[in-house]
Amino acid sequence: MLLPRRPTLNRKSTRIPRSIVVGVVGFCALPLLLNSVFGVDFGTPGVPIDSSIALDTWDAAAKDAVHLRLQGSFTHTLLEWTAFCIAIVTVILAFVHFQITKDVVTPLIAVALFWSGCMDAFHTLAADRLIDAIAPNENLIPFTWAICRVFNALILIGGITLVLSLDPQEWRGNVVFIAATSILSGILAYTIIHVCANTENLPETMFDGVFKRPWDLVPLLLYVGMGIFLVPRFLKHARGVFSQAIALSLVPQIATQLYMAFGSTALYDNAFNIAHFLKIVAYFVPFLGLAVNYIHTHREERHATANLLALNDMLAEENAVRKRAESALGESEEKNRAILDNAADAIVTIDELGIILSFNPAAENLFGYAAEEIIGQNVSRLAAEPHGSAHDDYLARYIPPGVRKIIGLGREVEGRRKDGTSVPVYLSVSEARLGDTRLFTGFVRDFSERKRAEKQREELMALILESNDSLEELNVQLKLSNRELEDFAHVASHDLQEPLRKIQSFGERLEARSSTALGEQGLDYLARMRGAANRMQTLIEDLLSFSRVTSRGRPFERVDLGKIATEVISDLEAVVQEKGADIELGDLPSIDADPLQMRQLFQNLITNALKYHKANESPSIQIDAIGADNAAADAEEDWCEVHVRDNGIGFDERYTDRIFNMFQRLHGRDEFEGTGIGLAMCRKIAIRHGGEITARSQPGEGSTFIVKLPRAQRKGEPLETG
């Protein structure tokens, strides 16, 4: 069984954020900037009391005067208690962190900072006379300040030294140790302040010269020495954001002492108040570090809780390997039972002898055995021959040398149900070790549906192959039919038209030379014969044109349909003028097409509209298109519709399909001449271009012929060349 990996912290989570470093340095430099550049003075010396104010009356004026006089003391108290409150919050957060991590380093350092803050609080209480004090504030405040700073530096040095000398794992979670150090630090802090407050003659601390407060040089040197000698070792020993915050807090601590030692000449002056403000920053930095460390720790703890719990459970059982293996197996069975019971695949677990240890519901459904009747039996009962009899031999060969054949691999085998029938399955086997015990888990998937699908696919492929053969045969027949059509076109072009030419020629000679001898009836017969020959020739020419739509089609090219339509209208100008027709041509697109066939398409449609007009009304024809914008001409799936409308006689839409078939006419030859091939040719041209043609009409209300064509041929397909 594999032990869960101990969670590791992200390197970024052990570094203090750069924004905090920049902010701390900025706060330390800000007072100097405001002093030197903007002339800001942070001093609060207080306003002297006017001698004219009677203090013994204690009226409003007297109260205001006293308050103005004591504003420096009020500011000092506010700054000191702010630092103390931060120290309280820091130590509370440190003990919360201790409850999570059991790491003694954080509360140990936090307690040192807390009692340093308490000493600052005692010092303030004595200065405000809330604790009995004998010495005047002029000596008490600066001297106890220096003593508090020395205490702060020494207790930090002591705490860091203690951390460096201890094994964190040995003292991990030791509440008694934390409580003992806290009590000793608190007693020491209170004792120092009590002694100072009850000493009448305290040493003088403020002098003129370079060193305004020589006593403050002592904590300054202690902080500098701590930063040089102790902090680097501390950072290596106690990695984390909080330890880096302790190191960073030395920056405002040193800045505080520099202001006091070299700048403060009186109580509550500019340097005095700046030093107290920077001390707040120094207290706040560990709080920030602890908060960030707490966030990171909480995040890592949340992600690693499951692994840590499992790890602790296993470490608690490390002295009993056999018991741990059995217990882990039992726990694993319980945890995996729900998964096994709901798995879609059959899952069977066996031991080294091939004895079935577990049999999930999917396996029951697949093989037909209930779990209680198959567990304890040999797994060979589930395998069809020859796999069943060979299974025990395979285990005997595999286990001593570890020669793998199917372990970790998958293969198709034949399973055997309880009723003796075979079932195709896909089997994959994995191996696990619990101590000295080997377990094999088989994942079995029913392949019956897949086998049926494969059989259906094979039948479909055979059908497709058979269809391909039929298509090839049809293609051969189509080629033969096209060849016969070409032969017919050749015969029609040469052999059939030659007799017609002779009939027409001899008819003309007969009319010219013997018109008198033929008489009126003979001339009528002769005219009918020549008319029939002309109609026959027109029909043959139309049939030739129809057959050449595909057999002699030209390669597609970019064609301007508007230009083609204009040229066709120009060619039909005589007929248009004769019938008094009005043709309105709108915008038409450019498409990939055979230009000659597009000309033939427009000529047939316009001629059709001119032919089938009302007897008492001049033809009116409108030609336009939907999708005439050429901006999208390169779109593969773009289509356009060409509309040819007229005001002619129209037709019943029941005959829409009929009019596009060859030789189909809705009117007799006596009413309108023609062969009935023109619209069939239009349909064949549209189909060759990958399009279609249809019509909308009502009797007596005109007709609209709609030709739908692709604007561009599909990419990757050659243009049809016929």
Side-chain angles (χ1 to χ4, degrees):
M1 178 175 292
L2 298 177
L3 293 177
R5 184 176 299 175
R6 184 182 294 272
T8 57
L9 296 178
N10 190 331
R11 288 182 61 88
K12 291 185 178 180
S13 67
T14 61
R15 297 177 181 175
I16 193 167
R18 184 178 299 177
S19 57
I20 294 180
V21 177
V22 173
V24 170
V25 175
F27 272 111
C28 291
L30 183 62
L32 180 62
L33 178 66
L34 294 175
N35 282 162
S36 58
V37 177
F38 298 100
V40 179
D41 186 1
F42 295 98
T44 53
V47 179
I49 298 178
D50 191 348
S51 59
S52 62
I53 297 176
L55 296 179
D56 55 346
T57 61
W58 199 240
D59 55 7
K63 293 178 181 179
D64 289 342
V66 171
H67 285 161
L68 291 174
R69 179 58 181 167
L70 296 177
Q71 63 179 345
S73 177
F74 292 158
T75 302
H76 171 252
T77 301
L78 178 63
L79 292 172
E80 291 286 12
W81 279 98
T82 300
F84 177 59
C85 290
I86 294 174
I88 293 175
V89 176
T90 300
V91 76
I92 293 174
L93 197 60
F95 276 99
V96 173
H97 186 271
F98 172 72
Q99 287 297 317
I100 297 174
T101 64
K102 305 303 180 184
D103 182 11
V104 298
V105 175
T106 302
L108 190 63
I109 300 300
V111 164
L113 293 174
F114 170 72
W115 286 115
S116 178
C118 288
M119 193 167 183
D120 291 330
F122 297 155
H123 143 87
T124 305
L125 291 173
D128 292 340
R129 294 305 188 262
L130 296 176
I131 294 178
D132 292 335
I134 300 175
N137 277 352
E138 286 77 7
N139 292 331
L140 177 65
I141 292 176
F143 181 75
T144 53
W145 160 272
I147 294 299
C148 288
R149 295 294 85 214
V150 172
F151 178 80
N152 179 273
L154 290 177
I155 200 169
L156 275 178
I157 291 173
I160 292 175
T161 302
L162 190 59
V163 168
L164 293 176
S165 62
L166 294 177
D167 181 4
Q169 295 301 324
E170 181 181 353
W171 294 90
R172 184 180 178 84
N174 196 321
V175 179
V176 176
F177 174 73
I178 299 298
T181 55
S182 301
I183 294 172
L184 290 176
S185 300
I187 294 173
L188 180 62
Y190 182 81
T191 301
I192 293 173
I193 291 300
H194 181 75
V195 171
C196 292
N198 289 279
T199 301
E200 183 174 358
N201 297 318
L202 294 175
E204 186 177 355
T205 58
M206 293 187 290
F207 301 91
D208 295 329
V210 177
F211 303 112
K212 309 299 183 184
R213 295 191 177 193
W215 284 81
D216 281 285
L217 292 175
V218 177
L220 175 62
L221 295 176
L222 290 175
Y223 286 130
V224 172
M226 180 167 46
I228 295 174
F229 299 106
L230 281 181
V231 168
R233 294 174 55 198
F234 176 64
L235 292 177
K236 291 180 180 179
H237 184 80
R239 299 178 182 273
V241 178
F242 180 68
S243 57
Q244 294 176 31
I246 294 298
L248 181 62
S249 68
L250 292 180
V251 175
Q253 294 282 26
I254 293 173
T256 297
Q257 294 309 121
L258 288 174
Y259 271 103
M260 275 299 195
F262 297 96
S264 179
T265 58
L267 295 180
Y268 320 131
D269 62 3
N270 178 69
F272 182 92
N273 287 342
I274 290 175
H276 280 73
F277 168 74
L278 292 179
K279 185 177 72 170
I280 294 175
V281 175
Y283 276 48
F284 195 64
V285 172
F287 167 76
L288 286 178
L290 191 58
V292 173
N293 201 13
Y294 173 76
I295 293 172
H296 289 162
T297 301
H298 178 70
R299 185 180 302 156
E300 297 294 340
E301 288 289 334
R302 183 183 59 191
H303 292 321
T305 298
N307 287 338
L308 289 176
L309 290 175
L311 180 61
N312 288 334
D313 291 341
M314 293 178 186
L315 291 176
E317 300 169 355
E318 64 183 359
N319 294 326
V321 176
R322 181 72 179 178
K323 182 178 179 180
R324 181 183 62 183
E326 293 175 355
S327 175
L329 180 59
E331 291 179 4
S332 177
E333 289 178 351
E334 292 177 1
K335 292 178 182 178
N336 294 329
R337 180 56 55 190
I339 299 176
L340 294 176
D341 289 346
N342 293 284
D345 291 338
I347 302 176
V348 181
T349 303
I350 64 173
D351 62 12
E352 297 172 342
L353 300 178
I355 302 303
I356 298 175
L357 302 177
S358 69
F359 202 74
N360 74 334
E364 293 179 335
N365 294 332
L366 178 60
F367 292 103
Y369 289 99
E372 54 270 15
E373 65 178 314
I374 195 64
I375 291 177
Q377 302 294 324
N378 194 286
V379 73
S380 60
R381 298 185 63 177
L382 304 178
E385 294 301 333
H387 306 291
S389 58
H391 185 270
D392 291 342
D393 293 337
Y394 169 70
L395 280 179
R397 290 195 307 271
Y398 165 71
I399 291 177
V403 179
R404 299 182 175 219
K405 287 188 177 180
I406 65 169
I407 301 299
L409 305 175
R411 64 172 181 170
E412 294 184 26
V413 297
E414 287 291 325
R416 182 171 59 191
R417 292 192 174 99
K418 182 179 180 180
D419 58 8
T421 59
S422 296
V423 55
V425 297
Y426 184 83
L427 172 65
S428 59
V429 181
S430 65
E431 177 186 1
R433 288 179 179 268
L434 295 178
D436 296 332
T437 304
R438 286 184 178 183
L439 297 178
F440 302 93
T441 301
F443 299 87
V444 187
R445 177 166 295 180
D446 187 354
F447 259 31
S448 301
E449 291 296 330
R450 178 171 176 175
K451 288 296 183 181
R452 280 192 288 271
E454 289 178 353
K455 183 177 180 181
Q456 293 175 356
R457 183 170 66 248
E458 291 173 357
E459 294 174 352
L460 180 60
M461 288 300 297
L463 182 61
I464 291 174
L465 292 175
E466 182 179 351
S467 300
N468 287 339
D469 294 339
S470 300
L471 288 175
E472 290 179 2
E473 183 178 352
L474 289 175
N475 188 34
V476 171
Q477 295 176 0
L478 181 60
K479 289 181 179 179
L480 180 60
S481 176
N482 287 336
R483 188 177 299 111
E484 292 174 351
L485 181 61
E486 291 179 4
D487 293 341
F488 166 77
H490 177 77
V491 171
S493 177
H494 297 86
D495 300 345
L496 293 180
Q497 292 197 61
E498 183 61 25
L500 288 176
R501 293 191 189 98
K502 289 183 178 182
I503 292 173
Q504 292 170 338
S505 176
F506 286 124
E508 291 174 358
R509 291 181 183 181
L510 186 61
E511 183 181 9
R513 297 178 182 181
S514 305
S515 58
T516 305
L518 290 174
E520 183 178 351
Q521 187 175 14
L523 290 174
D524 180 57
Y525 290 159
L526 182 61
R528 291 184 182 185
M529 179 187 70
R530 293 177 61 189
N534 289 334
R535 288 194 299 274
M536 184 65 179
Q537 185 173 11
T538 302
L539 179 61
I540 291 173
E541 290 175 352
D542 287 348
L543 284 172
L544 285 172
S545 298
F546 183 81
S547 67
R548 289 169 180 169
V549 169
T550 55
S551 64
R552 295 191 181 182
R554 297 177 58 184
F556 294 164
E557 59 185 62
R558 204 66 184 167
V559 176
D560 185 351
L561 295 184
K563 182 179 179 181
I564 295 290
T566 301
E567 293 174 354
V568 171
I569 294 171
S570 177
D571 293 342
L572 297 174
E573 183 178 3
V575 181
V576 171
Q577 292 180 355
E578 177 186 347
K579 295 185 177 293
D582 177 31
I583 301 179
E584 180 181 346
L585 181 61
D587 292 334
L588 298 180
S590 295
I591 66 172
D592 291 340
D594 182 336
L596 291 181
Q597 291 184 358
M598 288 296 104
R599 176 184 293 273
Q600 200 166 19
L601 175 72
F602 278 107
Q603 183 165 333
N604 288 358
L605 291 176
I606 296 173
T607 301
N608 195 71
L610 291 171
K611 182 192 302 183
Y612 296 100
H613 70 89
K614 298 176 183 176
N616 58 349
E617 188 175 345
S618 298
S620 177
I621 305 171
Q622 294 87 35
I623 305 173
D624 54 29
I626 297 176
D629 184 9
N630 286 321
D634 294 331
E636 289 186 3
E637 300 297 335
D638 195 25
W639 293 78
C640 68
E641 287 186 0
V642 178
H643 292 195
V644 180
R645 304 181 189 85
D646 62 57
N647 63 340
I649 61 175
F651 62 89
D652 193 330
E653 289 190 359
R654 290 181 298 171
Y655 305 114
T656 298
D657 292 336
R658 176 181 172 184
I659 63 175
F660 293 107
N661 294 328
M662 289 185 62
F663 308 122
Q664 297 297 318
R665 297 169 53 89
L666 301 182
H667 305 278
R669 188 178 294 108
D670 296 338
E671 296 179 80
F672 300 97
E673 61 181 13
T675 60
I677 296 179
L679 290 179
M681 189 180 301
C682 291
R683 183 179 188 179
K684 194 167 186 180
I685 291 172
I687 291 174
R688 183 188 174 232
H689 286 75
E692 60 185 20
I693 184 171
T694 187
R696 294 196 298 266
S697 180
Q698 292 293 332
E701 297 183 6
S703 304
T704 300
F705 287 86
I706 303 168
V707 185
K708 185 176 181 182
L709 297 170
R711 301 178 59 130
Q713 298 301 314
R714 293 179 180 274
K715 294 180 180 179
E717 296 182 2
L719 295 177
E720 185 179 345
T721 61

